Amino acid sequence: MRRLEIILSRFVWFIPTLFGLLLVVFLIANVVPTDPARIIAGENATEAQLAILRAQLGLDEPIYVQFFIYVRDLLSGDMGRSLYTQREISDDLLRRLPATMELTLVSITLAILIGVPFGVISAIRANTWVDQTLRVISVSGLAVASFWFAIELQLFFSTRLGWMPLNGRIAGFGPERITGFLLIDSVITGDWASLRSAMWHLILPTLTLALPAAATLLRFTRAGVLEVINSNYVLYETAMGFPRALVVWKYVLRNALISTVTQIGLIFGTLFAGAVVVEAVFDWPGLGTYAVQSILQSDTKAILGFSILVGVVFIGINLLVDIVHTFIDPRMVK
Amino acid sequence: MKSRLLALSVALALGVSSGAVAQSRYVHANNSSYDTLDPHTVFDVARVASRLNFYDGLYRWVDNPPELIPWLATGHEVSEDGLTWTFTLRDDVPFHDGRMMTAEDVVYSVERMLAIARGSAALFLPVLDPGNTVAVDEHTVAFTLKEPSALFGSFVADLLVLNSELVKENEVDGDWGQAFLTENVAGSGSFTLTRYDPALGFIGTRFADHFAGWGENYLDEIEFRTVLETNTRIQGLMRGDYHGLDGYLAPDQVQRLRASDAVQIFEEESMRVFYFAVHNGREPMDDLNFRKVLAHAFDYDGYINGIMQGTVARNPTINPNNLWGVPDVEPYTYDLDKAREYLELVEGPIRTLRIGTLAGFSETEQAAALLQNGLAQLGINVEIESAPWPVVSSNMQDPDTMYDMVPLWKSTYYADPNNWVGELYGSRYAPTRNASAYHNPESNELLEEALVETDQARRAELYEEATRIIYEDAAGIWIYNTKWFGPYSSRLQGVRFSPVGNGQDMRWAYFED
Amino acid sequence: MKAIRILLTDRAATFGSGIILFLVAVAILAPWIAPHPGDVNTFHLMNRLQPPSAENLFGTDRMGSDIFSRILFGARITITIAVIAVGVAVIIGVPIGLLAGYYGGFLGGFLMRTSDVFLAVPQIVLAIAIAQTLGPSLENVILALSLTYWPFWARLVYAETRALKNQTFVEAAIALGASDFRVIVLHILPNTASAIIVRTSIGMGATILTAAALGFLGLGAPPPTPEWGRMISESREYLPEAWWYATAPGIAIFLVVMGFNLLGDGLRDILDPKTRRRGGK
């Protein structure tokens, strides 16, 4: 019952939080009144043209009316039209979402594959040179500016060695769009060349994104494993003569991973944020480049749409983490 | 190497799947994204490729210096009073779906462009009202202008004609087919749309039935991709991933590309003047002496030979040197002593000046920093404010929010002096295009006269005189005229550069075997 | 004093504080130790993009300025941004956390939900939006970072305050008739201090990274300000030939952030025994 209560209370807060977010972003976006009509008209604008455009866009309404209209349209799934791309914003966002999702999902997988095993090794070999080395690497991983790291990777692996593609998701246009996830679409269509190309293009961006995430996971896993190793029951099992490897995998890891799982949820969020910058470096056609572009173009409605989408994804992930948490951590439900 | 093979194999796979043999595909890396294919909503140079290759205008700009050749129209006549322009259309123009073009298509296209009021409508709205275009017969169309215009003939290259029946079928709630045309093409242009993804770009296939016919050599397919990062575009071209880039590269990049065997660089004198727009309506720049201080405080030589490494030519006035209507004047020089002399004639302490630069366009930032440096030596403080182009541009259109100075380029929208001196310093274009708030009755009268005068020699005189007055007024700081460095794969032949289309009209180009 | 002595026994923390002290020293002394102090805004256009040499330790940039000197001056900007932005975030966040934690109820709920709103989007996204709307400048970057970072401190202090409120010594103080203000300032705040200090040290690192990212995206101080993130973004046009251009500022950012992170880790061990790196010693 308690679990349901927790989950429900989280759901109840979902809507007001989202509304608050909407309000905050709407206000931010309208603090300085840049004139969208002028932006559309560009450098060749004439006054007559501006008048027509202002009327078209409904810019003569007071700001609170604009907000009201915006929320009303949003409820029917209409985020408006982008000033710059002149396309439906919801359409733009949905088209780009899979690119970002693919990038972050592969990155988080990579981060788990690196961070968790090395975290365990680091804990088991605590205070040896292995541990020290891994800790230096993980501290460094958190201190690197991702955009700089990305550029250096490009310089070395793409430019100097010529091993990796420089940018983009795929050579050419890729397979027919079904899910928007290139890895999945190329498998469905049996287009193996595209699959290889897509995987090849994923390497550098995911490496950049996964580095800080792997470092965080390594630190948490190490701390978690150490705590369990030093707890009484593990000492007991070891004293009973169970093989060390069995103890580690069977008892230690399962308990230690509770905090790691929570961490993975949070990391997914930071990866989403990191994607904004990394996508900009690698010309990744995802939400991040879209956000940076619309911000640079002062495309208010597109920025709003992006923030809302990311907000929903973010709040959704946190909700999910909370729910998962109630299942794996019995203390919470007590 | 590996990824080049990969790219090749992907290209082959796609080529085979579209059912043809040995297709030649030209891949172009562009610096902005093709968010919409609608030819009437955008009018920027960066996204010109979709307009040029999918659509046709009544006339077409080719070559350098730009020449206007008959295209969908075979010619035109102007009435005695200069108000009615009658164009005779070709009768052999098929749209991509096979339907033949008629005068009705032209009328629909004009009305649509004026109604949605975006893009190239900026050229037409001042001279043409909706409802004043009529189809005289199936292949004749007549425009009745609001006032006589010497320029209308050069605007019609930007009157891109849509397949009106196809668009009408796809109209939703009277949107003039805007939703449809964002992602689809309804034109008669040299290429038909094969694939489009706003995040990536587009692929076009040669339209074999194009009315202008094809030579012996041509490209089968064109792919225009968005690659936002300059460095990536250059690397990609050198690796052979791309076959062409947008021109106007920084000199350091040109040098780098020159070193590569895979790349050839077409060098053309262009018409794109780099200058500082100076707010003439605000103190202290409303004082001629202070404007002379500015004109003498910029290190032209350092900029052109240091930063631009001598790849551009000094341009003493706002009109590009290689155009007609340019007066013969001595360029202002970097001379701080002279600047000091003028500064003594300016009353009172000088406030801190504000320069707005275009974020991401390092030439503007470097120019601003250089001017800041020159003025600092005269004891004048300058603050630099960097903002994205749309923000700078919209600030410039209002005299209250206009910066004190903005370094920027004026590109060719139509090859006529009015594109430069007229729009930037003529009173009728204030405040939106004449952002300098420059109003001089003497030069303005000449510019106005040139707008209606039809005698070419007389027009040249008028523009020369007006430009000289504005030069003597030091209404701006004019720096250089750009060279266009078109970087292409060494295998590509036949590229036809025109300052208006930026060398992206691909119907003339082909790969050497 | 004791804390400092313990801090010095932790190798990582010592190293971290060493880097930070060095950075502060460099920032203060920049005009004297920089070989070309004028190069922040004077140029040598005939000496552009030169590789590292005895004259220009880290090479020269697109304006022919000495990158080494510019990095030194950049330290000032980095410190200013981090200190003010984090300072303001603490000043906004801590009182909100205290009030919400102490009073709870509707006020507490409202304040915490407000902070949730700010936490609902990645910080960099909000910061980009704010910095962009207000126009790119140093002040606006600081403002954007403060406005997006305060909820972290609010949440932290809120949680600590909730826990402390039920402690006997706080209850005793309330029973003795101490005013709310007195209880909050004299009894609760000092006990949340260590958590705030640890969070602040790590927050500095994160703030420097975000500020650099904003500079990289062109939203920071305008040129020719020697801001590290901006220097990296400038360098992209000249890569790979001018490899030194991006290298130096990238390493500078790395070292500083590392310094704050190591210090934060060390401080956590000392001030917050609960989360001490188990088995670390």
Side-chain angles (χ1 to χ4, degrees), chain B residues 229-232 234-235 238 250-253 256 299 301-303 305-309 357 359-363 365-367 369-370 372-373 384-388 391, chain C residues 38 40-43 45-49 61-63 132-137 216-225 230 233-242:
Chain B
E229 196 50 54
T230 312
N231 189 42
T232 316
I234 290 177
Q235 293 290 321
M238 285 163 63
D252 304 276
Q253 298 153 352
R256 236 163 92 198
D299 185 355
D301 197 46
Y303 192 79
N305 293 319
I307 292 172
M308 303 304 289
Q309 296 177 17
T357 62
F361 292 85
S362 60
E363 279 126 291
E365 295 175 354
Q366 294 173 83
L370 210 55
Q372 180 187 45
N373 186 244
I384 297 176
E385 233 179 86
S386 176
V391 177
Chain C
V40 172
N41 44 28
T42 55
F43 317 116
L45 296 175
M46 295 303 149
N47 195 33
R48 297 169 73 240
L49 305 170
D61 68 5
R62 62 178 187 181
M63 302 299 279
Q132 156 61 18
T133 327
L134 301 179
S137 78
F216 177 74
L217 294 175
L219 296 168
T225 318
R230 160 172 281 284
S233 108
E234 278 173 13
S235 77
R236 294 197 71 188
E237 262 184 55
Y238 309 101
L239 297 176
E241 280 75 11

Side-chain angles (χ1 to χ4, degrees), chain A residues 38 42-46 49 56 84-87 95 158-159 166-167 170 172 174-175 196 283 296-298, chain B residues 6 35 41 47 115-118 122 182-183 195 198 225 227-229 232 235 239 388 390-391 397 413 432-433:
Chain A
R38 288 217 163 104
E43 63 183 307
N44 294 300
T46 59
Q49 189 185 10
Q56 268 183 22
Y84 183 69
T85 73
Q86 319 221 348
R87 308 164 49 80
R95 204 183 265 270
S158 309
T159 309
L166 269 169
N167 73 322
I170 194 162
R196 281 228 322 267
D283 270 333
L296 293 182
Q297 304 291 350
S298 291
Chain B
L6 210 62
D35 311 284
T41 57
R47 290 181 276 187
I116 56 182
R118 302 183 185 206
T182 309
E183 300 210 10
R195 217 162 148 189
R225 292 179 75 85
V227 182
L228 296 171
E229 196 50 54
T232 316
Q235 293 290 321
R239 289 159 55 125
V391 177
Q397 290 175 19
Y413 289 92
T432 50
R433 285 185 243 179

